[in-house]
Amino acid sequence: MAYSEGKIAVITGAGSGIGQALALQLNSEGCALHLSDISSAGLDQTLSLLQRKDVDVNPHPLDVADKAAMHAWAEQIAIQSGHVDIVINNAGVGYAATVEESDYEHQEWLMGINFWGVVYGTQAFLPLLRQSSQGHLVNISSVFGLIGVPTQSAYNAAKFAVRGYTEALRQELDGSNIHVCCVHPGGIKTNIARAARGGDPKMTADDRNNEFEKFARTTAQSAAAQIIRAVEKRRKRLLIGADAKYISLISRLLPVRYTALLPGVARTNPAAVR
Ligand code: NAD
């Protein structure tokens, strides 16, 4: 029997990429799902791909940057289920621009989703995780929460913030019924670069995706499987992909000079969104 069988999971950003792959795998294991995404079309696509129709699935279009909407969703689930067992704050977006070129609107948009969305999802669902016999909170940071990368200042800031927030929370909840995991994926083949804002205006979404795929080595399915295993094993930190493990190692060995060992990633790259 799969660990998640009979459990209830909440996933944000479930309409594409890692979130969609998580939804499909957890559904196949018999885990009931509450799925949200800002894109109703993305959610519909995820629903159409779910294999098991005998397992409960509740889609809920939602902007994770909307604090009131996140809390209303959690309240609705509280009435419906009374508790949740797994919460995965996964929704995220990219923005590529040097600091001098960055505008506030895009930086605030990104922080609203990639940082505040994680904070809202955490605070809104912690009371429901408390009601679980064994709760799991998973926040998705990035390898860009381990190193700084030119043109990624806003994304870096959000992902470093998610890491700090999650590591602090993990210690606060040590010894409680809630296990906390911070995930740092390397390059994962998803739609993140296609949907990203900023970058070279001459590049189309397809161009950005093609550039990104040169670096992204891991599939969303593999990333999701590793996250689900990390939940089962109560891992506190998960690095996904050989690139993530390498970046983690060199950022600790060479905290200033790591850029010298990262050609292609740490150079200015309009498609670099991880
Ligand atoms: P993706 O673009 O395929 O999926 C992201 C999903 O989030 C989309 O369905 C999108 O509609 C949704 N979303 C965007 N804005 C939202 C909002 N305001 N409210 C709710 N949903 C919203 O990308 P992905 O790669 O699967 O990204 C998942 C997470 O993984 C993100 O947090 C991302 O930063 C992180 N990540 C990705 C990579 C990578 O290489 N793909 C690497 C490191 C970290």
Side-chain angles (χ1 to χ4, degrees):
M1 173 173 155
Y3 177 75
S4 74
E5 185 170 348
K7 294 190 165 39
I8 304 173
V10 171
I11 307 171
T12 66
S16 171
I18 299 170
Q20 181 176 80
L22 283 164
L24 300 190
Q25 287 180 41
L26 286 170
N27 167 267
S28 74
E29 292 181 3
C31 182
L33 296 173
H34 293 277
L35 305 178
S36 72
D37 201 286
I38 199 167
S39 162
S40 297
L43 273 183
D44 287 346
Q45 193 203 39
T46 300
L47 293 185
S48 73
L49 295 171
L50 294 175
Q51 301 227 308
R52 285 189 55 176
K53 307 296 174 199
D54 59 322
V55 182
D56 199 27
V57 184
N58 304 278
H60 189 92
L62 173 93
D63 179 353
V64 293
D66 183 338
K67 180 172 52 181
M70 182 72 84
H71 279 267
W73 187 37
E75 280 159 28
Q76 186 186 312
I77 295 173
I79 292 165
Q80 203 176 326
S81 314
H83 78 283
V84 297
D85 304 296
I86 302 169
V87 173
I88 307 179
N89 287 308
N90 163 76
V93 291
Y95 173 52
T98 64
V99 170
E100 285 179 307
E101 290 164 354
S102 293
D103 60 56
Y104 286 124
E105 193 188 336
H106 281 104
Q107 293 176 91
E108 288 167 5
W109 166 76
L110 184 143
M111 289 301 285
I113 297 166
N114 291 11
F115 177 61
W116 285 108
V118 171
V119 174
Y120 300 152
T122 299
Q123 294 213 198
F125 284 100
L126 272 179
L128 286 173
L129 287 169
R130 283 275 188 203
Q131 300 306 314
S132 166
S133 55
Q134 175 57 72
H136 301 270
L137 175 73
V138 179
N139 288 341
I140 310 293
S141 174
S142 169
V143 283
F144 286 10
L146 306 176
I147 57 163
V149 176
T151 77
Q152 296 296 307
S153 54
Y155 192 84
N156 279 145
K159 294 300 187 179
F160 271 76
V162 167
R163 174 186 173 192
Y165 179 83
T166 307
E167 290 186 6
L169 176 66
R170 188 187 82 216
Q171 294 166 64
E172 290 170 12
L173 293 178
D174 257 358
S176 79
N177 69 318
I178 303 176
H179 151 244
V180 178
C181 180
C182 191
V183 178
H184 300 275
I188 316 292
K189 293 177 192 292
T190 68
N191 286 313
I192 193 152
R194 199 186 290 280
R197 299 187 183 177
D200 181 347
K202 292 191 288 297
M203 287 177 86
T204 64
D206 283 345
D207 294 338
R208 283 199 302 276
N209 190 54
N210 293 339
E211 274 300 305
F212 179 67
E213 293 233 332
K214 290 182 190 160
F215 299 99
R217 295 271 178 266
T218 307
T219 63
Q221 291 70 24
S222 168
Q226 291 178 57
I227 293 167
I228 292 168
R229 203 156 50 242
V231 164
E232 269 175 57
K233 303 273 180 222
R234 299 172 57 83
R235 298 266 309 269
K236 296 177 168 74
R237 184 176 193 251
L238 174 66
L239 299 164
I240 300 180
D243 51 351
K245 290 175 184 119
Y246 177 67
I247 286 171
S248 171
L249 178 68
I250 63 166
S251 67
R252 283 177 285 126
L253 291 177
L254 299 170
V256 176
R257 289 186 299 120
Y258 58 75
T259 49
L261 297 182
L262 291 172
V265 175
R267 300 243 173 83
T268 301
N269 173 4
V273 182
R274 279 178 213 181

